Amino acid sequence: MLGTLTAHDGTADRRIRGPKIRTLLAVLLLNANRPVSLDRLTDALWGEDAPATAEASLRNLVARLRRALADEDGRRLLAAPSGYRLVVAEDELDTLQFESAIRRARAAHETGDLPAVLAETAAALDLWRGEPLADLPETAVDGAVREQWRESRLQALEWRFDAELRQGRPHALIPELTRLVGEHPLREAFHAQLMRALHLTGDRARALAVHQRLRAALVEELGVEPGSAVREAHRQVLAERPAAPAAAAAAAATDRPRPSQLPAPASHFVGRQEQLDALRRTLLAASDRPAVAVVSGMAGVGKSALAVRCADALRTDFPDGQLFLNLRGATPGLTPLSAHAALTALLHGLGTPPGTVPADADSAAALLRTTLTGTRTLLVLDDAADAAQVRPLLPADPGCAVLVTSRSPLHTLDRALHLRLDVLSEHDSIALVERTAGRATVDRSVVAIEQADLARLVRLCGRLPLALRIAGARLATRRALPVRGLVGRLEEHEDRLDELELDDLSIRRSLALTYDSLRASTRRPDLRAADALAAIGAIDLADYSAPLLAAVLRITPAQAGAALDRLVEVALLDEPRPDRYSPHDLVRDYARELVPDPDERVRHLRAALGWYLSLASRTALALDTSAHRIRRLPPVDEADRLDGDAALALGDAEFGNLSTLVERVAAAPWATAAEVSLPVRAIAPYLRVRRRPESFRLNELVQRLALRDGDRDALSYALNDMAQVHFVTGRNLEGIELIDQCLPLVDDPERLQSLLGNRGLLLSSLGRTEEAVACLEQSLALAVRAGDLRGEATTLSALGNLVEAEDPHRAIAHHRRSVEAGRLSGFGDAVCAGLANIGFAHLRLDDPTTALHYFGQATASTEWVAAWHVVLENRRGQVEALRRLGRLEEALAMVRDLLEDAAALQDAFATGTIEHTHGLVLRDLGRHAEARAAWHTALAGLGPSGHKAVAELRELLATG
């Protein structure tokens, strides 16, 4: 918020699109963790021009904001009495962090703790990206809050400048203070500090000129003289008595050696400027203790190269020497250095004669601290195994600094900067390959000739610097090898790690060192971590959770979580979001090699598929109890049952993996139709509610296996679900063909009733009324005979729609019965669709006021989870009712919100139906050209479907 409004989920920016939704987020954040009333939100969004449908529109905005924040389960954006509350932790919101840092800085300033003042003001000022909420209108944000943040920033600057001046560092302040006195010509504190800084640097004339300009401005504009701080600074300048800076440290002994052990910086170093700046700030920051920075990350990510580049640039800042020591924490073929061996090497580098280093590590560590006292020395400790290896090597004098690299983050090192190094950007990755290959020259410019191939190459290398160096070196070795040739080799993931070996550089060996150390450990968490990485390679999904790995490895979720956390610690996994773990692509390639036994791989895959079947069954039971029964899904224990929101959240988190796993298992020669069919039909209720298109593709896999195995049961479920996809996307003829193939396969009356009902819906959409009525009456009879309320609700709804044109009152009676049956059976689609259908029947009766009431009831119902196509028709009905009531601007705003949702889902059929209504609203507004454009778009979306609206669209376009 301290700048333009942005949201970030820890790995990437979340796109918050549209002024209304951004304003909503801003108001909720300004009142973080406090309820915000509907009136306050409505006023911020619309002011005095709030439409009558503002509350419904606000609910739609809240739903869109939840989707944008990946909060579909509503655990962050909560409904509160008469409003909403956004739950935000202090470390998740920059304004909360800013205010907390300001409070700590104020306390440090009042007690005179100068290092703490500098640290806390830096923490606050680093959060400031510009004018708070600069991209939002003034009416959306309390102006007093903005002004409070601005004033807090200026106060933090004053405290920082004061601390720097009191520590005798005036030179670097002068340019910034000069700018600030220009921006704030009447702020006396900045003027006094600029006068003191100029005086301390010996520029007495400029200091007096600053005072003269300030006094003239104060007298002219306010009629007052400068305050006491300015007067005291002026008196000191006139007296030529500058305040003494902090005493310099005692000079080092003249005979002390000045080690210069840093290796030469990498000749092809690219990027990392942000990380270099952060390290520089930390290592040079004034403090009462030595600065410590830890650079961690996976093998080959460039930790050592970054540390050496940073240290090399700081040579002049540490004139008493630079020490470099490889601690061999992950060096192939070597054991990590012991504490005493490391101390001995450092003391020898500082001139301690051989034979005089104490024999025990504690005494040697004390000698190291003594030797470094009073010096400005930089220690680079490369490739540390753990924090215990580093602690004895740390100096005590605040003039020294330590830069550590390690695969582990070493979080137990107190008061250190912990910098986790990620892979390079694509731009920097390409630059590294070019420089290493030596091909970006006048005669052969990779940029001009092979840019697309290079982009593919760096992606195959995972943008990992070590892999990029190896790829570049291969291109340099074989000048005739085109980039495309190397890309072709790397695209075969079975051989990729073989290609990424050259001389002493090897991705496989670097990763194996960490894995082998886990496998050789005697600690059970390490052994489980090694097992977990092998299982990850066998299952090969996008990401992983502890419950999944627990099922595969037959351990407890807590043990699986500890194993995954251990893999994160040793940089073999990342945790891009809480409790979700994923490997780098090259770690994934390495993990695939860890389970060579095909039978063990099959066991891992079947265990994972079983876990996903259990998960999908739980979501199905929560979203559609009857479907869980009809689809013959495994039972769910009472303790494992979910509510609708939790089921949707679980489906959102896991469906991508389930889909990938089903595809992988279906492609295996050992897979059966039965084991693939169960999880596919279990996830169908989730896919229906979320309006996901993948159902058709997954059921095609089941169909292929069922035809091969002769599995009539699996085939019938697959054909029916594929037909349902055709129905909701308007491909009704194709849907009927699949239903007709399915009917002879089904003997069970309950399933037969559902199939006949689906066939009736498809026929109804095609306008084949008599055939539809016959099917639906058969379906209704079977449902009544079986006491199947869900089937009754579906069939009554379809019958109501069929008779609506000739007898709207009879249609309403059918729909009321459908709603009641839906309520009794817990079938949310029937409840919401029935209420919306009553609304459409009232539109047929030319009663848009009553229609709008029923559409509003369907929208307001939060008790039921409804599928997207049901929600779509209801909201489209609302637009039509508003249009007929002449409330055209409200109708236009709502239909455009609906178009945004359809576009986000990439639903061409839904877009077509909405554009049909959009065009009618535009026509009534007199915007005829825009209306025709909307109808053309609608026809393009609906044309292939055979939908009955196609004829109306063609007539509208013909008549205008």
Side-chain angles (χ1 to χ4, degrees), residues 869-881:
H869 70 277
V870 175
V871 175
L872 162 66
E873 280 302 291
N874 175 64
R875 290 170 64 189
R876 198 170 64 81
Q878 282 184 285
V879 173
E880 179 62 16

Side-chain angles (χ1 to χ4, degrees), residues 378-393:
L378 175 64
L379 285 74
V380 179
L381 305 177
D382 191 40
D383 193 17
D386 51 37
Q389 188 186 31
V390 172
R391 281 197 192 92
L393 314 181

Side-chain angles (χ1 to χ4, degrees), residues 376-428:
R376 290 279 294 168
T377 304
L378 175 64
L379 285 74
V380 179
L381 305 177
D382 191 40
D383 193 17
D386 51 37
Q389 188 186 31
V390 172
R391 281 197 192 92
L393 314 181
L394 299 179
D397 195 276
C400 295
V402 183
L403 179 52
V404 186
T405 73
S406 175
R407 296 190 185 185
S408 299
L410 310 187
H411 283 306
T412 55
L413 287 180
D414 296 333
R415 294 191 65 173
L417 169 71
H418 295 278
L419 187 65
R420 187 77 168 182
L421 205 58
D422 203 353
V423 297
L424 293 170
S425 67
E426 182 171 297
H427 176 270
D428 289 339

Side-chain angles (χ1 to χ4, degrees), residues 586-626:
L586 297 179
V587 175
R588 192 184 300 277
D589 290 336
Y590 175 73
R592 291 188 185 112
E593 301 176 351
L594 299 178
V595 185
D597 180 3
D599 291 338
E600 187 177 356
R601 296 179 73 86
V602 171
R603 284 195 296 273
H604 283 332
L605 285 167
R606 280 192 159 133
L609 193 66
W611 185 79
Y612 274 108
L613 170 59
S614 173
L615 177 146
S617 296
R618 294 167 66 200
T619 65
L621 183 64
L623 298 174
D624 194 337
T625 307
S626 299

Side-chain angles (χ1 to χ4, degrees), residues 655 659 686-688 690-700 721-722 725-726 728-729 731 868 904-907:
F655 173 70
S659 175
Y686 163 79
L687 296 175
R688 176 178 51 79
R690 279 295 191 231
R691 187 60 182 87
R692 300 280 302 247
E694 293 91 337
S695 177
F696 196 89
R697 175 174 50 80
L698 294 177
N699 279 289
E700 281 185 314
D721 282 352
M722 291 161 71
V725 174
H726 282 320
V728 298
T729 55
R731 297 189 294 273
W868 156 245
L905 291 168
Q906 298 181 329
D907 190 332

